[in-house]
Amino acid sequence: MTAPEALRWLRARRGAARRRTSGYAAYVTLVLLTSWYGLYAIGLAMQISRDGGPFPAHEEAVREALPFGAVAAGLVALCLIFGDALWRGPVLLPRPDADWLLPMPVPRWPLLRPWFLLSLGLLCLGALLAGLGLGLVLAAARLGDPGPLILACTGPAVCLALLAVAGAVAVQRFAAAARLARAAAGPALLGALLLAVLAARDAAEPGGGAPEAVRTAVLWSGPWGWAAQPALAAAGTHPPYWQAAAALLAAAAAVALVPLPRLVRGMPAAVLRTRSRAVGRVAGGLLAMDLRTVRLAMAAAATGAARGAGPPGRLARLSRRLRPPRRLWLAVLWRDTVALLGAPRRPAAALLLLAAAFTAAAATTAASGAAALVPTALAVCLGHAAAARLVETARLDADDPRRAAQWWPRSAAALTLAHAVVPTAVLLLAGLPFAVPLDLTTGVPAVSLLFAAAPVLTAGALMAVHRPVLPGWVLHSGMLGASGPALAATWYAAGPLTAVTGLTVLLTPQLSGGTAAWPAFFLCWSLAAALLAGAWSRARRAGRGR
């Protein structure tokens, strides 16, 4: 039997089952899109045709926020697609095909083509729906006629999606592209957050935004800016040479599609097998609500993609020269420090997250009332993510308490408390370069608030390290009603939710009103003590069985 005959035989044997599965998935997707996206889009279109648009009062605010906001949305979309390509990729085979068909002498392109085209079609569909939604919103704000606006939004969005697919294939195919995507993700997301803050400021203060030269530079900074210019022209802004930007975007998308069949055909079998298995582990972790398993599976697949990263850096070599201390209580601090020096991406990611957190906190200083809660909550969430990047050694000890008992003779609860010192110190040292300028320029006591928030963020991260056992009443409610998964997720995320909610409530008055920081300081430290007590209790219960 030849290879084409083998493929035809397999399609005949498995085609009916896959058609049923694909039909059901398409039916569910169509129902969800029709019931949520479709109803709102049709209702908005009817209001536009009847009244001209329901948002006439926001016309100037939307026009001012559109340049920076559209570019920020394009940057975030590209980062999400490239981040997905680091561990999953646009070329994803089912597990049986990856394990059984890849080692066989069958043509690679007919085997991979349906799944690649499926990913390409889904991304183009998402871009089409996003462009349609943006065009309807702009028409509802009475920035132009619906037809030209929708055409100016959907066309560039699809071109940007095609470029993103080409880049994602390169990230999945080449280790150098994967390293570049991983290194550029943090600065790109930070730039997108800064652009979102500028867009919010321009919307709040129309006419007093950034200079025109800054807007032009942002719009010509890359494909994410080129895609925004036709929509700006249709909305009446008319950026200079927007026709050239549209032509450049279309040409880049067309050129990027040419080598895709060759790149997909040459995809390494080891990469395809690793990604296929990682998707199964990620799905299992999500069903079990075990984010630790999800992160490990994604990291393992991404590490395989970036194989061949070269020798360790200077910080990793320096960490090997640090001698272990002779005192027991210093051993945990030495171990946490060596772990961070040996994996410099973790403190670097924490630094970028803290920069983004202080950018969001700077936006809070210009807001008031309930509107200040949103940027404060975003800043606190980013700070919690930074703290979570610094407690990896605590996760390792929590995963295997018996291994930790071989070098730590005291209780697991005391070990958990000792793990809070180095992450808190790193958060303080990394946050001071951002807190001092914010303190000097806005008058907000940012340095004092940093010292108040850092222990809470570390304590919340340590609470998340120790996965609690679900009580019986949560399992019983899950069997009786639809609220079970939500209750289970809330129970697992109780520590981070408490830390984020408490800090948001305590820091918002100080960031928006400039009131005294001492009450919030003492309340934050009380919250940190309560969260550390919770982490100590969880570690104590987990350490009893070691």
Side-chain angles (χ1 to χ4, degrees), residues 49-356:
S49 62
R50 184 178 62 249
D51 304 328
F55 310 135
H58 303 284
E59 177 182 355
E60 193 65 27
V62 173
R63 179 182 285 111
E64 292 292 330
L66 184 59
F68 290 140
V71 176
L75 265 178
V76 171
L78 288 176
C79 289
L80 290 177
I81 294 172
F82 291 160
D84 176 78
L86 285 174
W87 71 274
R88 199 180 70 96
V91 185
L92 182 66
L93 280 175
R95 180 70 181 272
D97 293 2
D99 289 341
W100 186 59
L101 289 180
L102 281 180
M104 298 181 67
V106 296
R108 189 66 59 86
W109 174 243
L111 181 63
L112 301 179
R113 180 179 54 201
W115 307 106
F116 169 68
L117 293 180
L118 176 63
S119 300
L120 180 64
L122 290 177
L123 282 177
C124 290
L125 176 62
L128 190 66
L129 294 177
L132 176 61
L134 178 60
L136 288 176
V137 170
L138 296 180
R142 301 186 181 182
L143 294 178
D145 296 331
L149 283 173
I150 292 175
L151 184 61
C153 293
T154 53
V158 172
C159 291
L160 189 62
L162 295 176
L163 270 177
V165 169
V169 171
V171 169
Q172 186 179 1
R173 173 69 176 82
F174 301 108
R179 291 194 295 269
L180 179 61
R182 186 181 291 105
L189 288 175
L190 182 59
L193 178 61
L194 181 60
L195 291 176
V197 171
L198 293 177
R201 189 192 66 177
D202 291 349
E205 300 176 1
E212 193 64 29
V214 175
R215 295 192 179 190
T216 303
V218 169
L219 291 174
W220 284 95
S221 58
W224 45 87
W226 305 342
Q229 296 193 36
L232 291 173
T237 304
H238 297 294
Y241 307 108
W242 67 268
Q243 299 92 340
L248 190 60
L249 179 65
V255 171
L257 291 177
V258 174
L260 286 187
R262 180 174 55 85
L263 294 179
V264 173
R265 192 183 302 113
M267 196 72 65
V271 171
L272 295 172
R273 282 193 295 268
T274 301
R275 304 300 178 88
S276 179
R277 294 167 184 172
V279 168
R281 289 194 292 269
V282 168
L286 290 175
L287 290 175
M289 296 184 185
D290 189 359
L291 297 183
R292 172 71 169 162
T293 301
V294 173
R295 285 193 296 266
L296 289 177
M298 295 172 63
T303 303
R307 192 170 297 166
R314 295 181 179 179
L315 291 178
R317 292 195 297 266
L318 176 62
S319 64
R320 298 174 182 175
R321 300 178 182 177
L322 295 178
R323 296 181 179 179
R326 296 183 178 180
R327 296 185 179 273
L328 179 63
W329 63 275
L330 289 175
V332 182
L333 309 185
W334 170 84
R335 186 165 173 260
D336 292 348
T337 304
V338 168
L340 291 179
L341 291 176
R345 287 177 181 172
R346 293 190 176 277
L351 183 65
L352 289 175
L353 289 169
L354 284 177

